[in-house]
Every structure is written in C-alpha cells, then in structure tokens.
DNA sequence: GTGCAATTGCACGCCATTGTGCAAGTCCCG
DNA sequence: CGGGACTTGCACAATGGCGTGCAATTGCAC
C-alpha cells in the first residue's frame, strides 16, 4: 500500500484520475464534501483515497494545480499576438469559459476566506495579466468604467460565476453561455452593446 | 436561565443585540465560524449564546430575517413611483448598497449550496421584483443584453459582491463605491457608460 | 440591600471527520 | 499461475463542533 507512491500500474492510475475527476464534481456540489463522500462517489473506499493523496489538503491542492495550469494555458494561447484590448478580452473570455466552467469549484473555494492555503496566490499571475489588459483598454479609451482596473477584474470574474450559475439553473442555454458571457463582460467594461455583440460574433 | 425567553432585561437585550452584531461580522470573516468564536468575539461565553438562540441555525436564521427585511424595505422605498427602468435600477442599487454591504454575509452564505434552509427562498421575492424590472427595461429598449432578465439579475448581484470585495481590498474608496457599483451595473445592463454616469450623478 | 433574571463555568454525551495501522483480500502482468 | 502492486475492511486515536444540565455567581432594578 505504501508503494502506491510510485503509482505506475494502470489500475492505480485510472483510480487516481477518477478520484480527481469525481472530487472536482463533488466539491463543486458541496465545498465541504468529506473524504468519504468523495471516495464513495468515486466508487472507492476512503482508505484508498489516502493511498493516493496524503491528506484532504493535498487532494484539493492537486486539483488547484491542474486548474491553474489549464486556465493560464488557455488564456495565454487565446491572447497570443492580439493587440486590440476589446478583442483580447473577447478571445480570452471565450477561451477561458469552458475551462473555468470545469474548474468552477475553484472560484467557489477562492471566495471563501478559509480554504486551501493560497488559492488566490496561485491565481494571482493570471489575474495580474487581466488587470494589465483592462488598464490598457481603459487608457486607450476602448473601455470605460468608474471602477479601477483591478476592481473591474473582480467584477469580470464574478460575472462569469453568475452566468455559470444561470446555466446551472437552466436560465441560459449551455451552447450560448460562453458567447453571452463574453458580450456581457465586454459590455460591463463599457464597450457599447452592439459593438460587443459584433466583435464576439466575428471572433468566435 | 430558561427564563431568558421572556428576555426583557436591558442587559439581556443588549447582549442579544451585540451577539447578533458580532455574529454578522464574524460570519462574514468566516462563514464556518463556530458558536465559540462568535461568543468570544461578543465578549460572552458560548453557553450564553445558547441562552438567546436555541441553535446555530436559529442564530443565523435571525440574521437572515433581519437582512431580508432591511433589503426589501430599502428596495421598495427607493423605487416607489419611479417608472423609468434605468432610473429605477439606479435608485434601487444606490439604496440597496449600504444595506447589502452590511449584510454581505448573506450573499456569501446564499452562494454556498449547503447552508441554512432557504436563504434563497426568502430572498426570492426581492429577486423577482428585480427580474421584472430588468425585463421591462429590456422590452422597452432601455437595456440591452444577450442574457435573459433572470440571468442578468444573477449578474447584477454578483457584481455588487465583486465591488464589495474590491472595497474590502482597498481597491475602491468606500464613499465612491455605491455610485461606482451603480454605474457598473447599469453599464452591464447595456446602458451607455456616459448616460449611466450622468443618471447616477443626477439621482444621488 | 435584596431578589431575580441573566450569566458563567464547568460537566457531560453525541456525532462527524481526519489520518493511520494492519491483515486479508483482489487484480493483473509477465 | 505465481507474486507484487493495489485495494479493501476493519479498528483506532484525536479533534472539534454542537447542544444540554446544573450549581454557583454576578449585576440591575426596585
């Protein structure tokens, strides 16, 4: 059992992956889900989870690492070589949307003050990129808001969360959600609604 | 001790009030704050809290009741006799802002799936009013959004939460926050930024 | 000042959860 | 068909929270 650290059997690998997958879903449903709930949902006994992850903290931390990597990657790829702030935001949000949806749990966890050490910290670089982009847009007059760029970044994040909730509650169609959210975010940044809609239509 | 239910001594009343106040602050800092944390913060022993509230649930429920009442009252008063949708939203948000800030804990609690029975339910009437207002604005062309009115309501709520966070983190000045948040909300609803700013300046 | 309500300071019992230990299984690779 | 990696099924100790009981104490009001 201690040898699981080498973890190279197919069975063990599959289990580990499934535990992570299920944990994501389960923690999304309830951020306080116990190890037992997660284990059962993964079709495994609690003891087995501890074979793969030394602690609850470690399990969540692994989840966070994966999420941060996926988010940062998607954002970087989407914005590569784009100079227009509005278009950059549009591409970024469109690309981030599915990833953020999958890892939505993080947003929920990051909102709670008491959680895994440093979720916010690990997301900070990503956020800083966004703040810089927004600042540039405000400076160039592409955006317009009474809020300073960092606050606007908060607002954008929360807006995504809100739209995800709306999808969850059946208020918005899943296929449309990404585009709608992007238009909404641009609009909130002061881009005229018509322009935002056109831009998103072109880009996606 | 059982007689505390009649609760008419000034001392008991003061304590009860202080417990509620402190609980609000403490639960805001950490939604999972224990009864002991709350009691200590209120300068009282845990046992005393149970003298005033039969359970943790009851304590929070009392908090929720107060919040819902305050919010509903402020909203109704602010919108009385206002017909223009944009102006109604502006007045509503401006009036709701300080109350929502005080009871911000609720938003945090309402976001968590597992909490006190029916926070969402008790806030539902307030939300429905807002949805109707947004719908009317969309119909009349005052607002513009790819999101349906109920989803837009979610977005507005989350935006307020985001701005409160921004204030908390020192990104926005507290005195400006209410107006800024209102402009941001109107902008997100598709009201041109300049118009939103002017409207808020007139109204506040 | 005295009396009564309120508060305190223990004492419980209960329950959920976390993390570990260990022996007996099970599965699959070679 | 072995044999080693993985899993299971207990059992355990340690926290830590909730809600309650009761005797002793405090403090306000009258």
């Amino acid at each position: 059992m201690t040898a699981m650290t080498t973890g190279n059997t197919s069975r063990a690998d599959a289990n580990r992956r499934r535990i992570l997958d299920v944990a994501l879903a389960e923690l999304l449903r309830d951020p306080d889900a116990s190890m037992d709930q997660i284990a059962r949902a993964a079709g495994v006994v609690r003891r087995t989870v501890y074979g793969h992850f030394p602690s609850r903290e470690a399990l969540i931390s692994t989840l966070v690492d994966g999420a941060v990597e996926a988010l940062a990657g998607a954002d970087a790829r989407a914005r590569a070589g784009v100079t227009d702030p509005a278009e950059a935001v549009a591409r970024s949000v469109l690309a981030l949307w599915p990833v953020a949806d999958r890892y939505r749990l993080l947003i929920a966890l990051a909102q709670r003050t008491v959680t895994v050490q440093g979720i916010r910290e690990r997301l900070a670089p990503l956020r800083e990129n966004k703040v810089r982009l927004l600042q540039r847009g405000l400076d160039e007059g592409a955006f317009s808001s009474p809020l300073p760029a960092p606050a606007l970044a908060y607002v954008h994040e929360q807006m995504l969360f809100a739209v995800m909730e709306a999808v969850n509650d059946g208020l918005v169609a899943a296929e449309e959600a990404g585009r709608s959210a992007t238009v909404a975010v641009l609009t909130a940044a002061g881009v005229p609604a018509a322009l935002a809609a056109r831009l998103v239509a072109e880009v996606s």
Side-chain angles (χ1 to χ4, degrees), chain A:
Chain A
M1 183 251 297
T2 53
M4 238 179 300
T5 48
T6 50
N8 275 336
T9 323
S10 66
R11 198 173 20 138
D13 258 19
N15 264 349
R16 186 190 147 93
R17 211 169 314 232
R18 189 152 32 81
I19 289 171
L20 283 173
D21 274 2
V22 169
L24 199 56
E26 213 62 14
L27 287 172
L28 173 59
R29 218 171 38 85
D30 173 12
D32 291 326
S34 70
M35 290 297 255
D36 197 56
Q37 280 172 54
I38 294 171
R40 282 173 190 285
V44 135
V45 173
R46 192 169 66 97
R47 193 63 185 77
T48 302
V49 177
Y50 281 102
H52 291 281
F53 305 94
S55 72
R56 192 174 191 283
E57 181 96 358
L59 171 60
I60 297 185
S61 195
T62 303
L63 247 30
V64 172
D65 286 342
V68 171
E69 193 183 326
L71 289 169
D75 186 50
R77 256 174 277 122
R79 280 167 46 182
V82 181
T83 56
D84 178 59
E87 186 184 338
V89 166
R91 290 191 184 276
S92 170
V93 174
L94 280 170
L96 243 33
W97 176 261
V99 188
D101 193 26
R102 171 167 165 72
Y103 288 106
R104 177 163 27 141
L105 127 83
L106 283 192
I107 310 181
L109 285 182
Q111 271 170 357
R112 306 185 47 186
T113 47
V114 186
T115 12
V116 183
Q117 252 300 12
I119 290 190
R120 290 192 107 89
E121 283 75 359
R122 280 188 267 184
L123 286 171
L126 190 52
R127 191 185 304 244
E128 277 167 30
N129 282 340
K130 184 150 202 179
V131 170
R132 265 196 296 275
L133 173 57
L134 292 174
Q135 186 62 63
R136 193 157 58 83
L138 287 171
D139 290 344
E140 296 180 6
F143 300 149
S144 161
S145 174
L147 297 169
L152 199 51
Y154 277 30
V155 168
H156 279 189
E157 282 175 28
Q158 293 295 326
M159 287 181 76
L160 292 189
F161 191 62
V163 177
M164 290 177 203
E165 277 281 308
V167 174
N168 235 34
D169 294 2
L171 301 176
V172 176
E175 324 85 49
E176 273 308 313
R179 276 185 293 271
S180 297
T182 308
V183 174
V185 164
L186 285 171
T187 307
V191 176
L195 195 96
R198 189 165 1 113
L199 184 57
V200 171
E202 281 170 14
V203 162
S204 62

